Amino acid sequence: MFACTAPGLSAQTKVEECNIGSRKEVAKLAGVSEATVSRVLNGVGPIREETKLKVLEAARQLNYVPNVLAQQLARRRSGNLGVILPYVPKVKLFSAYYFAEILSGIGETARRMGYDLLIIPLSPVEARSYTNLFQTQKVDACIMLGSQDTAEERGALRQLHEGGYPFCLVNQRFDDEPFKTIEADHVKGGQLAASHLIGRGCRRIAFLNGPDAYSNSRDRMKGYSLALQKHGIAMDNELLYRGNYSRTSGYQYAEQLAEAVRAGRVDGIVAANDRMAIGLLQGLREHGIEPGKDAALIGYDDADGARFTEPQLSSVAVPFYEMGEQAAQWLLDSLSEPGAQPDSSASAEGQSVQGAGDAVRPVIQLPVRLVPRASSLRYPDLESGQL
Amino acid sequence: MFACTAPGLSAQTKVEECNIGSRKEVAKLAGVSEATVSRVLNGVGPIREETKLKVLEAARQLNYVPNVLAQQLARRRSGNLGVILPYVPKVKLFSAYYFAEILSGIGETARRMGYDLLIIPLSPVEARSYTNLFQTQKVDACIMLGSQDTAEERGALRQLHEGGYPFCLVNQRFDDEPFKTIEADHVKGGQLAASHLIGRGCRRIAFLNGPDAYSNSRDRMKGYSLALQKHGIAMDNELLYRGNYSRTSGYQYAEQLAEAVRAGRVDGIVAANDRMAIGLLQGLREHGIEPGKDAALIGYDDADGARFTEPQLSSVAVPFYEMGEQAAQWLLDSLSEPGAQPDSSASAEGQSVQGAGDAVRPVIQLPVRLVPRASSLRYPDLESGQL
DNA sequence: ATCAACAATGTACACGCGTACATTGTTACA
DNA sequence: TGTAACAATGTACGCGTGTACATTGTTGAT
C-alpha cells in the first residue's frame, strides 16, 4: 500500500517503519505514558535512565518524528522568522545584490539559532498590515527589508510596535520612531565617496542619488554635502541628479553628464549605488567619456558587478551580510529574554523616545569602507577639452 | 497593560480590540456555536445570510484572526512550500544570479497560490535526510535547488520519493530516477554556444566546464561536442578545462588560455557560466588578449553581469525565473490533484521507470536562447600572431 | 513508626481549529 | 396528513503536542 513496500530499490537506508508513528504508539511500545515520552524527548523533569532508554529505543524503532505543527500549537510559537520583501514592480528582488546579501546573513543566523525562514513577498494589492502576520502566529518575529518611508508604512510599523510584536528594520531608519533598526553609516559612506573624489583632484562633483523615501539616500546626501563643505566646495544644485537605483536610471543620465564633463562643469560623479553607477559608466563610455580618466566615478555598495566593469568601479563597501546576521541575532535574542512579553520592549523603548534620550534609540549602525578602484583614478592633467 | 493602551500615537488605525479574540469569543458575541463561526469563515456548508453577517460583524468587532498554527494542525497541512538550499562553503547562495532568479519565480508563484516559502539552508554537519522535513509536517512540498548528483543525495531523494513526498528538482536531472524535474535544454545551450563561435569563424574552441556532479554541466558538454561534430571539428581533450563555476576559477585559467590563444591553439572559448566567463574575460585582458577580437568568448546563463563587462559578454539565456515559477506551479498543482495520496505519484511514476518508458518521465525542459554580444565578435582577420 | 521530601510517572486537559454526526425546522410531494 | 428531503445549526471529538497536577514509591530524619 505504502510506497515503502516497494521492492528492491535502495536498501541503502533501512526504514523499519514507513508511516510516521505518533507519540501514542511510542508510549505503548515503550510501556509508558505519553507524558513520559514527551518528557524524555524534551529533556524535562527527572527521568529514570532505564525509562529514557526504553523510550528512545521505541522512538527509533517506530521512526518517530514529533509533529512540528502540533508542537507549535502547544508551545504557541512557530519557530519561524519572517522576512518581509517589498513589492517593487518588475524587479526581481532576490536578484538585487543588496537583498541577496542580507538574506544570506539572516538565513545563516536563523539556521544557527534553530529558526526557519519564512519569506513573505508583499502582495501589490492587499493593504499593508503586518499585524495580521503575527496574529496568525505564523512568525515569532519579523525582519523588514527594503521598506520605504511613506505614511502608510510608518503607520503599519507603528501599529506593529504598539502591538508589541518584535520586528527589525534593515538598512532603513525611521527618524523619531522607536523601531529596532540595523543600518550602515551611510552619512560616513557618502562622505567617504565624495572625499575620495576630492582627494583625487575633483572639484565639481555630481551626485546621482536614489529616492528620498530611503533613509540611506538622505544619509548619503548628507555625507556628500558634509564632504564638500569640509573642503570648502560650494554645493551646486545643478549637480544633483535623481535616479531609482536601477541600472537604466544610471544609464539615462549618461548623455547629460557626458556633456557636462566635456564642458568642464563636472569632473567627478558619486552614484548612490553600483547598479546606477554601472549603467552610468557604460553610458559615459558610449558617449566618449572614459571614467577614471576624463572624470572620476564612484559607486556605492561594492556589489559583485563593481569588479566586472572596465574600468573596475570604485565603491563603498557596505556589510550587508553582517547586517542581516545582526538583525536576526538581535531579534531572536530578544525573544528569549526574560521580559519576553510582547509588550515589554515596546513600552521600554517607548520611554526612551518619550523622554529626551536618543541614546537608547534601538539603532545599530555598522561601518562602511571605501574601496578605491580604477574608475576614480582620474588624472588631473587630462582635465577637460582633452577629447 | 497592553501596548495598545499607549497614548496618542497613531490614531491612524482604530483598533477596536488589541488582544486577539479566539473563535469562542466570536461565537459568543454572535450568539452562535463555534462550528458556525468556522463554517462562515471557511465558506463551508449552507449558512443563512443573516447568521453569516452576524458572525462576520462579530469577528470584525473582535478583530479576530484565525490561528494559522491551529488550522495547520487541524487540516494536517502546513501551507508551506519548502525550498532547500545546498550548503556550499564560503558561497552566499542568495547572491548567485541563478538562485536569485529561481527563488523569485518560486516566490511569486507560491504567493499567488497562497503558500508561504520556507527557506531551508542545509546545514553542513547534519546528515542529509529530507524525509524528516516532511515528517515534521513543516512543509507540504519541497523544491530542491542546486543539488548535486552524489550517491548520498541520490539516496536521500529516493527515500523521499519512496515515501511519496512531493518534491521537485530544478536545473538538475537525475538520470534513471523518476524524480519530478524542471530543467532547461542545456544540450541545446551548449550546442548554441559552440555553434555560435563556429559561425563566427572559430575552429579551435576551448570549453571551460563546471563540475560533472551537475547534470547541466554534462549536458552542455554534450551540446558542445555535438556542435563540433556537426561541423566536422575534432574534439581535442587538451581544450577541455574544468572550473567550479566561480569567477575565480575562470580567472585562474586566464594565463593558460591567453597563452593558447597567442600560440594559435585556441580561437574561441565557451564557458559554462557567466561568472567563470567574466573572471576569464578579465584575466584574458590582463594578459593582453582582447575577447571579441583576439578570440571569441561566450558565457552561459545571461546573468546581469554579462552586460557589465567590456566588451559585453555573449551568453546563453536560461529562463531561471520561469523555471522557478513552473516548478512551484507543478508541485502545488499536484498537491490538489484528486489522487493526492502521498503515495500515488510515486507508484505511478515508478511504473514508468520499471517499464520501458522514458516518455512519461516527469521532466520538463525549457528552451534556452543565444544572446550574442561583443565578446564573441572576433574578426577572423586578426587570427593569431597579431599581438 | 511516622511523616516530610523528593524522584518518577500517570492522568487530564488545553492549545484553536476542522468536521462528522446529530438535531431541529421547513418544504414538497405523495 | 404523513414523510422524505433538505437547509441550518449545534454537539462532540480529533489533530499531536506540552504540562499542571495527582499519584505512587522510596528515602531519610525524627
Side-chain angles (χ1 to χ4, degrees):
Chain A
M1 183 73 181
F2 246 92
C4 52
T5 66
L9 285 177
S10 139
Q12 182 154 339
T13 313
K14 281 176 253 171
V15 183
E16 316 214 2
E17 293 276 335
C18 196
N19 45 348
I20 15 179
S22 71
R23 189 177 67 175
K24 189 185 295 180
E25 303 176 34
V26 176
K28 198 166 62 183
L29 181 58
V32 298
S33 74
E34 287 191 56
T36 299
V37 175
S38 178
R39 278 189 282 253
V40 168
L41 285 130
N42 291 316
V44 171
I47 303 277
R48 209 179 352 147
E49 189 61 22
E50 181 193 331
T51 311
K52 187 173 170 180
L53 292 179
K54 261 192 320 191
V55 169
L56 289 178
E57 172 56 20
R60 200 196 55 73
Q61 211 167 316
L62 290 172
N63 196 25
Y64 171 70
V65 177
N67 182 320
V68 174
L69 267 34
Q71 289 183 325
Q72 290 175 348
L73 179 59
R75 292 179 176 145
R76 260 145 298 178
R77 286 193 354 154
S78 72
N80 292 149
L81 173 60
V83 178
I84 305 282
L85 298 184
Y87 180 81
V88 186
K90 304 196 48 169
V91 173
K92 298 165 188 170
L93 274 180
F94 289 105
S95 307
Y97 173 79
Y98 164 72
F99 283 104
E101 285 288 307
I102 296 179
L103 261 182
S104 298
I106 295 174
E108 173 56 26
T109 302
R111 191 183 59 70
R112 231 190 28 239
M113 303 189 62
Y115 276 77
D116 286 317
L117 223 53
L118 202 61
I119 302 288
I120 301 150
L122 286 185
S123 151
V125 292
E126 24 175 337
R128 196 178 302 266
S129 170
Y130 299 130
T131 49
N132 190 65
L133 202 69
F134 284 94
Q135 290 174 331
T136 61
Q137 312 252 21
K138 267 190 199 174
V139 302
D140 297 337
C142 212
I143 294 181
M144 313 288 178
L145 297 191
S147 82
Q148 301 188 32
D149 192 343
T150 64
E152 187 192 10
E153 180 80 3
R154 217 172 246 261
L157 292 176
R158 268 189 199 156
Q159 198 180 333
L160 215 50
H161 185 259
E162 285 161 19
Y165 300 116
F167 69 97
C168 178
L169 291 150
V170 176
N171 206 37
Q172 169 74 343
R173 181 172 28 79
F174 285 80
D175 290 314
D176 310 320
E177 303 279 2
F179 308 152
K180 268 200 171 82
T181 307
I182 298 258
E183 60 168 1
D185 189 349
H186 295 302
V187 173
K188 184 70 174 297
Q191 213 170 345
L192 280 176
S195 295
H196 171 64
L197 296 195
I198 295 172
R200 290 280 168 93
C202 301
R203 287 300 173 269
R204 308 193 56 80
I205 302 175
F207 183 33
L208 171 53
N209 203 0
D212 265 346
Y214 298 108
S215 64
N216 53 74
S217 299
R218 303 194 298 272
D219 288 347
R220 273 186 289 259
M221 178 66 203
K222 190 185 290 179
Y224 162 83
S225 90
L226 279 176
L228 263 56
Q229 185 182 329
K230 190 169 163 189
H231 290 83
I233 302 177
M235 277 270 289
D236 180 354
N237 284 332
E238 299 287 311
L239 297 185
L240 302 181
Y241 298 81
R242 178 82 61 187
N244 68 356
Y245 286 129
S246 74
R247 195 171 68 98
T248 312
S249 83
Y251 186 85
Q252 282 167 344
Y253 285 109
E255 185 172 356
Q256 194 175 345
L257 276 164
E259 184 54 39
V261 170
R262 207 171 274 114
R265 281 183 281 117
V266 163
D267 56 9
I269 308 171
V270 176
N273 79 343
D274 283 347
R275 292 182 81 81
M276 291 197 299
I278 288 172
L280 186 53
L281 182 146
Q282 296 188 308
L284 287 176
R285 297 191 71 191
E286 287 175 19
H287 287 88
I289 298 295
E290 186 68 24
K293 197 167 152 195
D294 306 318
L297 173 63
I298 184 169
Y300 203 100
D301 283 353
D302 194 30
D304 290 349
R307 271 176 299 269
F308 298 171
T309 56
E310 173 64 33
Q312 291 193 17
L313 182 66
S314 300
S315 196
V316 175
V318 181
F320 290 122
Y321 184 85
E322 289 75 14
M323 288 164 73
E325 281 186 322
Q326 291 210 18
Q329 184 86 47
W330 190 10
L331 213 44
L332 298 183
D333 279 349
S334 81
L335 287 185
S336 45
E337 267 169 14
Q341 299 309 317
D343 182 22
S344 75
S345 85
S347 62
E349 286 155 14
Q351 291 293 344
S352 80
V353 165
Q354 295 258 352
D358 173 279
V360 250
R361 242 184 51 201
V363 175
I364 294 183
Q365 241 185 24
L366 269 53
V368 298
R369 182 173 47 84
L370 180 71
V371 183
R373 295 200 183 89
S375 74
S376 58
L377 277 185
R378 182 173 181 278
Y379 307 115
D381 47 310
L382 300 182
E383 197 69 67
S384 55
Q386 175 72 11
L387 309 171
Chain B
M1 184 70 182
F2 247 91
C4 52
T5 65
L9 286 176
S10 135
Q12 182 154 344
T13 314
K14 281 177 252 169
V15 182
E16 315 213 2
E17 292 276 335
C18 195
N19 45 347
I20 14 179
S22 71
R23 190 178 65 174
K24 190 185 296 181
E25 304 176 33
V26 176
K28 199 166 61 183
L29 181 56
V32 299
S33 74
E34 287 189 56
T36 298
V37 174
S38 179
R39 278 189 281 253
V40 168
L41 269 59
N42 291 316
V44 170
I47 304 276
R48 207 178 355 145
E49 189 61 22
E50 180 193 332
T51 312
K52 188 171 169 182
L53 293 178
K54 261 194 317 191
V55 169
L56 289 178
E57 172 55 22
R60 200 196 56 71
Q61 210 166 316
L62 290 171
N63 197 23
Y64 171 70
V65 177
N67 183 321
V68 174
L69 266 36
Q71 289 183 325
Q72 290 176 347
L73 178 60
R75 293 180 176 142
R76 260 147 299 177
R77 288 192 352 151
S78 71
N80 292 149
L81 173 60
V83 178
I84 304 282
L85 299 183
Y87 180 81
V88 185
K90 303 197 49 168
V91 173
K92 297 166 189 170
L93 274 181
F94 289 105
S95 306
Y97 173 78
Y98 165 72
F99 282 104
E101 285 289 307
I102 296 178
L103 261 182
S104 298
I106 296 173
E108 174 55 25
T109 302
R111 190 183 61 67
R112 230 190 29 240
M113 305 191 58
Y115 276 76
D116 286 317
L117 270 196
L118 202 60
I119 301 288
I120 301 149
L122 286 183
S123 151
V125 293
E126 23 175 338
R128 196 178 303 264
S129 171
Y130 299 129
T131 48
N132 191 65
L133 203 68
F134 283 93
Q135 292 174 329
T136 61
Q137 311 253 24
K138 267 189 200 175
V139 301
D140 297 335
C142 212
I143 294 182
M144 313 288 180
L145 297 190
S147 83
Q148 302 189 31
D149 192 343
T150 63
E152 188 192 10
E153 180 80 2
R154 219 172 244 262
L157 292 177
R158 267 190 198 155
Q159 199 180 332
L160 215 52
H161 185 259
E162 284 161 20
Y165 301 116
F167 69 98
C168 177
L169 292 151
V170 175
N171 207 35
Q172 168 75 344
R173 182 173 27 81
F174 285 80
D175 289 316
D176 310 320
E177 304 278 2
F179 307 153
K180 267 200 173 82
T181 306
I182 298 259
E183 60 170 1
D185 190 348
H186 295 301
V187 173
K188 184 71 174 297
Q191 214 171 341
L192 280 177
S195 295
H196 172 64
L197 296 195
I198 294 172
R200 290 282 167 93
C202 302
R203 286 301 174 269
R204 308 194 57 81
I205 301 176
F207 182 34
L208 171 53
N209 204 358
D212 265 346
Y214 299 107
S215 64
N216 52 74
S217 299
R218 303 194 298 272
D219 288 347
R220 273 185 289 258
M221 178 67 203
K222 189 186 290 177
Y224 162 83
S225 90
L226 278 176
L228 263 57
Q229 184 183 328
K230 190 170 166 189
H231 290 83
I233 303 177
M235 277 270 291
D236 181 352
N237 284 332
E238 298 288 311
L239 296 185
L240 302 181
Y241 298 81
R242 179 81 62 190
N244 67 356
Y245 286 129
S246 73
R247 196 171 67 98
T248 313
S249 83
Y251 186 85
Q252 282 167 346
Y253 285 110
E255 185 172 355
Q256 194 174 342
L257 275 164
E259 184 53 40
V261 169
R262 208 171 274 114
R265 282 183 279 115
V266 162
D267 56 9
I269 307 170
V270 175
N273 79 342
D274 284 346
R275 292 183 79 81
M276 291 197 299
I278 288 171
L280 184 52
L281 183 146
Q282 297 187 309
L284 287 175
R285 298 192 72 190
E286 288 174 19
H287 287 88
I289 297 295
E290 186 68 21
K293 196 168 153 193
D294 305 317
L297 172 63
I298 184 170
Y300 203 100
D301 283 354
D302 193 30
D304 290 348
R307 272 177 298 268
F308 298 170
T309 56
E310 174 62 32
Q312 292 192 17
L313 182 67
S314 298
S315 195
V316 175
V318 181
F320 290 122
Y321 183 85
E322 288 74 13
M323 289 165 73
E325 280 186 322
Q326 292 210 18
Q329 184 86 47
W330 190 9
L331 212 45
L332 298 183
D333 279 349
S334 81
L335 287 186
S336 45
E337 265 169 15
Q341 298 311 317
D343 184 24
S344 77
S345 86
S347 63
E349 286 153 14
Q351 290 294 342
S352 81
V353 165
Q354 296 257 352
D358 173 278
V360 250
R361 244 184 48 201
V363 175
I364 293 184
Q365 244 185 21
L366 269 52
V368 299
R369 181 173 48 84
L370 179 71
V371 182
R373 295 200 184 88
S375 74
S376 58
L377 276 185
R378 184 175 179 274
Y379 307 115
D381 47 308
L382 300 180
E383 196 68 65
S384 55
Q386 174 71 10
L387 309 171

